[in-house]
Amino acid sequence: MSGNRILNHQEIEHKIKRIAYQIYETFVGEETIIIAGIASNGFIFANKIAQALESISDIKVTLCEVIIDKQNPSQPISTSISKEEYTNKGLVLVDDVLNSGTTLVYGVKHFLDVPLRKFKTAVLVDRNHKKYPVKADFKGISLSTSSLEHVQVVFDKKGDYAFLQE
């Protein structure tokens, strides 16, 4: 890892727990919610949120992986569960970093094809300068960064961390 560490393992664990509580407060009346993580790091982060949410609430959590081509997000998007499984449910779309907003906005667009009871977004790091008017409802940390800087989140068995590199 080269660059400035912005979150260590313990801080990420704290952010996950806090986001889980925020989701619980928002969806408190729901029996089931869908936690949909954008493939790779977003899905890993979603899984961690789902585990935390299940440990603090009696809401049934269904985990969903959202496969988006990040280089060409207008390509068809697929999910690990069928549309019927998330129709008329509460859903939280999760990614690790909200950078330009492109991936998240296309992910949101995909889920608008079916009726949802409630729809929210969650990210670990919000970079505060976006190309699209998309926001995270739940976020671990907000950073004001330059367009030359890159935020990298590493989920590792030895310990999770996030860092900023130029």
Side-chain angles (χ1 to χ4, degrees):
M1 177 208 78
S2 63
N4 297 323
R5 191 175 291 231
I6 52 176
L7 291 171
N8 63 32
H9 181 74
Q10 187 176 358
E11 291 165 330
I12 290 174
E13 289 296 309
H14 177 75
K15 305 289 185 200
I16 289 166
K17 206 170 285 184
R18 187 169 55 78
I19 289 170
Y21 274 105
Q22 290 174 319
I23 291 170
Y24 179 43
E25 289 169 5
T26 302
F27 291 90
V28 72
E30 301 292 326
E31 286 182 31
T32 303
I33 65 168
I34 310 300
I35 304 292
I38 294 174
S40 68
N41 268 6
F43 184 66
I44 295 168
F45 186 48
N47 194 14
K48 290 174 181 284
I49 291 171
Q51 289 174 9
L53 189 56
E54 287 175 327
S55 75
I56 61 167
S57 77
D58 55 357
I59 297 173
K60 181 181 179 295
V61 177
T62 301
L63 200 57
C64 171
E65 186 172 18
V66 182
I67 295 98
I68 297 177
D69 180 347
K70 291 187 178 192
Q71 269 50 58
N72 196 355
S74 61
Q75 291 299 308
I77 294 170
S78 62
T79 57
S80 62
I81 64 173
S82 69
K83 286 184 179 184
E84 292 75 31
E85 291 178 82
Y86 55 81
T87 298
N88 294 316
K89 299 266 182 1
L91 188 139
V92 181
L93 182 61
V94 178
D95 205 359
D96 60 339
V97 179
L98 176 49
N99 189 11
S100 69
T102 304
T103 304
L104 205 59
V105 85
Y106 277 94
V108 166
K109 180 180 176 279
H110 172 78
F111 286 103
L112 294 178
D113 288 341
V114 298
L116 298 171
R117 290 173 59 92
K118 198 178 285 184
F119 189 7
K120 299 290 181 184
T121 56
V123 297
L124 179 59
V125 181
D126 182 351
R127 291 222 16 224
N128 288 342
H129 59 86
K130 296 167 212 37
K131 192 161 72 171
Y132 294 98
V134 63
K135 73 175 187 73
D137 297 297
F138 313 113
K139 55 189 158 214
I141 187 173
S142 293
L143 289 179
S144 294
T145 59
S146 78
S147 58
L148 301 175
E149 293 172 308
H150 179 72
V151 174
Q152 181 71 42
V153 177
V154 177
F155 293 112
D156 187 80
K157 287 181 174 70
K158 295 181 218 156
D160 306 334
Y161 59 94
F163 64 94
L164 184 65
Q165 65 184 25
E166 288 186 42

